[in-house]
Amino acid sequence: MSIFIAVIALLLATALVAALGERTGLPWPALLTIAVAPVLFIPGIETISIPAELILPIFLPPLLWSLARRTSWGMIRAQLNVVLTMSVVLVFLTIAALTATSMWLMPGVGIAGAMVLASAIAPPDPVAVDAVAGPAGIPKRITGTLQTEGLFNDAASIVAFNVALTALVAGSEVDFSEGFVKFLYSAVAAVIIGLVVGRLAAKFVNTVPDSVIRTAFTWVIPFAVFIAAEEIHASGVIAIVIAAVEMSSRATLTAEDRLSGHSFWETVEMLFTGVAFGLIGMSVRDAIDHAGTMVWEAVGIGLVLSVVAFAVRFLWMWVLCRVNRAKDRHDVAPLRLQEVLLMTWAGMRGLVTLALVLSIPAGTTKYHHELSVIALSVLTFTMVIPGMLLPWLVRQLDLEHGPDAHGDKVNAELNERAYEAARRAVQEHGPALAPESFDMVQEWLDTLAERRQADPEGSRQRRESFLRARKAAADMQRIALEAATAELQSARKERQYNPADVDAVLEELDRMVIAKDRHSLSMPPHFSQPD
């Protein structure tokens, strides 16, 4: 019962703190972590703990799916260099630097023990980055790059973590060649699983007319994909991402599906993120109790490791900035020193780091009790503090005047494409459908009452003519909206557009479609048929 009460309390706190964050402009996940931790030191309040092996299977699938459904194959192809350089190479470089630093700070930990800790700390958490960076007003081009990085970097770190943990438990040396083979197998097998599941899921969704059933089905799929991939030692992270993108690219969704699905997954993401970050705050007291007198030493280690992680990330972002500018690229980040600083600051650790550290078996290293404090210190120095200062940093870096800072040019281009598609559809079908619509509307508005009294039969004929014209005008509107929607759905698959930009324009069209349908459904009977 105490677990049930604690979860409900966290859900309520999530809604309240999210509202506070919206009012203050501060990232609510960081606020929630800060708010929860001190409360747990009040006597009589019990902490709750979820088995470490269940943390990732419970929280990661829905949160990753919610993030992955916003991207597209076009964006992944356009940012393939981000996947390779930031989600793979940067993760392994960070693991190497943190492993060496951990061996220096913790004598006797061994390379396997140091690598286990380093692998847990290395990847920025996509959930933390998305939840904290979004409200800060970071330009979409930069958030798109950060989201692409976050979707795949957990895979590299988890494989490295498992290889090091196996060696640590067995008391043997880390086999790097075996780790490389496992990484390749994990990635390839996950891609295959994701493609197969995503395609089958899209076929199922396309055959089910009920939007509620379709939404419920997408809720279950992430968990099933994650479990299936992990059972064959493939990457559950990559499998979820690939399945979400494949399904989104093949499923035929209506305006109602897109709007309701967006609202549903926004709610899921907020509540699951709130509980996850609340659990991070709840871990503070237990970690301090276990560490005993070594608390401050562990905090110092966490601080040094955080600085090293930021330093490696800064150097790599600076290299990528030079490469992007040399290749004259405009669709990725970083492109300026300000963006290098921002993307370094946005390297926030979160749920994955905590879950991996908590899953380390007791007794495998003499620093076991300190590891939780080290992990929580890293989360504080890389997520809580940077998250609270991120809105201030965004203002100081003057990102407003960067290249296409808010995607205004892209939004204007997408709106123009939608308008041109609608105009072509109306020009193609309009003359056959309703050439007299405008005249009939004017005549009906001005003289309908008088002519019905003077000439009932003529009034009936004119009313029938008007209703035909009105129906034809509605058909033209439907054709225009369908053409504009189809054009934007096509644009969403193209690599030059960020799906987030396309979705923003598409959402406006979907609302117009829903409003049009509701208007026709609510029309009085005498407006829908002649007398």
mmCIF file of all heavy atoms in Angstrom, residues 346-366:
data_model
loop_
_atom_site.group_PDB
_atom_site.id
_atom_site.type_symbol
_atom_site.label_atom_id
_atom_site.label_comp_id
_atom_site.label_asym_id
_atom_site.label_seq_id
_atom_site.Cartn_x
_atom_site.Cartn_y
_atom_site.Cartn_z
ATOM 1 N N ALA A 346 24.061 20.567 -22.247
ATOM 2 C CA ALA A 346 22.874 19.714 -22.346
ATOM 3 C C ALA A 346 23.197 18.226 -22.264
ATOM 4 O O ALA A 346 22.309 17.402 -22.467
ATOM 5 C CB ALA A 346 22.133 19.991 -23.656
ATOM 6 N N GLY A 347 24.429 17.868 -21.964
ATOM 7 C CA GLY A 347 24.793 16.464 -21.806
ATOM 8 C C GLY A 347 24.368 15.936 -20.450
ATOM 9 O O GLY A 347 25.197 15.589 -19.602
ATOM 10 N N MET A 348 23.077 15.864 -20.219
ATOM 11 C CA MET A 348 22.529 15.550 -18.901
ATOM 12 C C MET A 348 22.347 14.048 -18.703
ATOM 13 O O MET A 348 21.848 13.357 -19.581
ATOM 14 C CB MET A 348 21.181 16.255 -18.713
ATOM 15 C CG MET A 348 21.272 17.753 -18.861
ATOM 16 S SD MET A 348 19.663 18.548 -18.817
ATOM 17 C CE MET A 348 20.143 20.234 -19.223
ATOM 18 N N ARG A 349 22.766 13.561 -17.560
ATOM 19 C CA ARG A 349 22.555 12.154 -17.216
ATOM 20 C C ARG A 349 21.260 12.030 -16.431
ATOM 21 O O ARG A 349 20.808 12.991 -15.811
ATOM 22 C CB ARG A 349 23.730 11.628 -16.398
ATOM 23 C CG ARG A 349 24.924 11.171 -17.222
ATOM 24 C CD ARG A 349 25.538 12.274 -18.041
ATOM 25 N NE ARG A 349 26.669 11.789 -18.843
ATOM 26 C CZ ARG A 349 27.337 12.538 -19.691
ATOM 27 N NH1 ARG A 349 26.990 13.799 -19.885
ATOM 28 N NH2 ARG A 349 28.343 12.022 -20.370
ATOM 29 N N GLY A 350 20.654 10.833 -16.480
ATOM 30 C CA GLY A 350 19.364 10.686 -15.822
ATOM 31 C C GLY A 350 19.046 9.268 -15.427
ATOM 32 O O GLY A 350 19.845 8.593 -14.770
ATOM 33 N N LEU A 351 17.892 8.809 -15.874
ATOM 34 C CA LEU A 351 17.334 7.541 -15.418
ATOM 35 C C LEU A 351 18.229 6.353 -15.731
ATOM 36 O O LEU A 351 18.401 5.453 -14.901
ATOM 37 C CB LEU A 351 15.954 7.340 -16.058
ATOM 38 C CG LEU A 351 15.200 6.061 -15.703
ATOM 39 C CD1 LEU A 351 14.857 6.043 -14.226
ATOM 40 C CD2 LEU A 351 13.950 5.949 -16.553
ATOM 41 N N VAL A 352 18.794 6.306 -16.937
ATOM 42 C CA VAL A 352 19.621 5.166 -17.334
ATOM 43 C C VAL A 352 20.830 5.032 -16.425
ATOM 44 O O VAL A 352 21.193 3.928 -16.004
ATOM 45 C CB VAL A 352 20.045 5.301 -18.807
ATOM 46 C CG1 VAL A 352 21.050 4.220 -19.190
ATOM 47 C CG2 VAL A 352 18.831 5.232 -19.717
ATOM 48 N N THR A 353 21.467 6.146 -16.096
ATOM 49 C CA THR A 353 22.635 6.116 -15.207
ATOM 50 C C THR A 353 22.278 5.521 -13.853
ATOM 51 O O THR A 353 22.972 4.635 -13.333
ATOM 52 C CB THR A 353 23.200 7.543 -15.026
ATOM 53 O OG1 THR A 353 23.711 8.000 -16.279
ATOM 54 C CG2 THR A 353 24.304 7.565 -13.988
ATOM 55 N N LEU A 354 21.188 5.994 -13.267
ATOM 56 C CA LEU A 354 20.782 5.497 -11.955
ATOM 57 C C LEU A 354 20.428 4.017 -12.014
ATOM 58 O O LEU A 354 20.833 3.228 -11.152
ATOM 59 C CB LEU A 354 19.593 6.300 -11.435
ATOM 60 C CG LEU A 354 19.080 5.901 -10.040
ATOM 61 C CD1 LEU A 354 20.132 6.187 -8.987
ATOM 62 C CD2 LEU A 354 17.785 6.636 -9.721
ATOM 63 N N ALA A 355 19.669 3.605 -13.037
ATOM 64 C CA ALA A 355 19.241 2.204 -13.137
ATOM 65 C C ALA A 355 20.429 1.270 -13.294
ATOM 66 O O ALA A 355 20.488 0.196 -12.676
ATOM 67 C CB ALA A 355 18.280 2.041 -14.307
ATOM 68 N N LEU A 356 21.409 1.642 -14.102
ATOM 69 C CA LEU A 356 22.564 0.775 -14.310
ATOM 70 C C LEU A 356 23.399 0.656 -13.041
ATOM 71 O O LEU A 356 23.854 -0.440 -12.677
ATOM 72 C CB LEU A 356 23.419 1.303 -15.468
ATOM 73 C CG LEU A 356 22.795 1.219 -16.864
ATOM 74 C CD1 LEU A 356 23.734 1.777 -17.908
ATOM 75 C CD2 LEU A 356 22.412 -0.217 -17.204
ATOM 76 N N VAL A 357 23.604 1.768 -12.350
ATOM 77 C CA VAL A 357 24.393 1.718 -11.117
ATOM 78 C C VAL A 357 23.692 0.874 -10.059
ATOM 79 O O VAL A 357 24.327 0.066 -9.360
ATOM 80 C CB VAL A 357 24.664 3.142 -10.596
ATOM 81 C CG1 VAL A 357 25.234 3.098 -9.173
ATOM 82 C CG2 VAL A 357 25.640 3.865 -11.520
ATOM 83 N N LEU A 358 22.375 1.029 -9.934
ATOM 84 C CA LEU A 358 21.644 0.258 -8.937
ATOM 85 C C LEU A 358 21.608 -1.231 -9.271
ATOM 86 O O LEU A 358 21.381 -2.062 -8.382
ATOM 87 C CB LEU A 358 20.215 0.783 -8.813
ATOM 88 C CG LEU A 358 20.058 2.188 -8.220
ATOM 89 C CD1 LEU A 358 18.591 2.591 -8.179
ATOM 90 C CD2 LEU A 358 20.671 2.272 -6.828
ATOM 91 N N SER A 359 21.843 -1.596 -10.524
ATOM 92 C CA SER A 359 21.798 -3.008 -10.917
ATOM 93 C C SER A 359 23.119 -3.735 -10.682
ATOM 94 O O SER A 359 23.201 -4.942 -10.922
ATOM 95 C CB SER A 359 21.409 -3.126 -12.393
ATOM 96 O OG SER A 359 22.434 -2.608 -13.233
ATOM 97 N N ILE A 360 24.140 -3.022 -10.226
ATOM 98 C CA ILE A 360 25.427 -3.670 -9.944
ATOM 99 C C ILE A 360 25.273 -4.545 -8.699
ATOM 100 O O ILE A 360 24.887 -4.046 -7.642
ATOM 101 C CB ILE A 360 26.531 -2.621 -9.728
ATOM 102 C CG1 ILE A 360 26.690 -1.751 -10.980
ATOM 103 C CG2 ILE A 360 27.854 -3.297 -9.371
ATOM 104 C CD1 ILE A 360 27.647 -0.596 -10.813
ATOM 105 N N PRO A 361 25.547 -5.846 -8.782
ATOM 106 C CA PRO A 361 25.361 -6.730 -7.623
ATOM 107 C C PRO A 361 26.245 -6.336 -6.446
ATOM 108 O O PRO A 361 27.367 -5.853 -6.628
ATOM 109 C CB PRO A 361 25.751 -8.110 -8.160
ATOM 110 C CG PRO A 361 25.647 -7.991 -9.651
ATOM 111 C CD PRO A 361 26.002 -6.576 -9.973
ATOM 112 N N ALA A 362 25.725 -6.523 -5.237
ATOM 113 C CA ALA A 362 26.488 -6.219 -4.028
ATOM 114 C C ALA A 362 27.689 -7.151 -3.925
ATOM 115 O O ALA A 362 27.627 -8.324 -4.292
ATOM 116 C CB ALA A 362 25.600 -6.352 -2.800
ATOM 117 N N GLY A 363 28.778 -6.595 -3.435
ATOM 118 C CA GLY A 363 29.970 -7.401 -3.198
ATOM 119 C C GLY A 363 30.892 -7.541 -4.384
ATOM 120 O O GLY A 363 31.957 -8.162 -4.267
ATOM 121 N N THR A 364 30.523 -6.977 -5.531
ATOM 122 C CA THR A 364 31.382 -7.111 -6.708
ATOM 123 C C THR A 364 32.562 -6.159 -6.663
ATOM 124 O O THR A 364 33.570 -6.386 -7.333
ATOM 125 C CB THR A 364 30.574 -6.847 -7.995
ATOM 126 O OG1 THR A 364 29.923 -5.581 -7.887
ATOM 127 C CG2 THR A 364 29.540 -7.929 -8.208
ATOM 128 N N THR A 365 32.451 -5.087 -5.902
ATOM 129 C CA THR A 365 33.548 -4.138 -5.746
ATOM 130 C C THR A 365 33.511 -3.547 -4.348
ATOM 131 O O THR A 365 32.430 -3.434 -3.742
ATOM 132 C CB THR A 365 33.448 -2.998 -6.799
ATOM 133 O OG1 THR A 365 34.416 -1.994 -6.510
ATOM 134 C CG2 THR A 365 32.069 -2.376 -6.794
ATOM 135 N N LYS A 366 34.660 -3.183 -3.844
ATOM 136 C CA LYS A 366 34.710 -2.649 -2.482
ATOM 137 C C LYS A 366 34.099 -1.258 -2.385
ATOM 138 O O LYS A 366 33.880 -0.740 -1.293
ATOM 139 C CB LYS A 366 36.148 -2.624 -1.976
ATOM 140 C CG LYS A 366 37.066 -1.656 -2.728
ATOM 141 C CD LYS A 366 38.462 -1.671 -2.120
ATOM 142 C CE LYS A 366 39.387 -0.658 -2.777
ATOM 143 N NZ LYS A 366 40.741 -0.658 -2.167
#
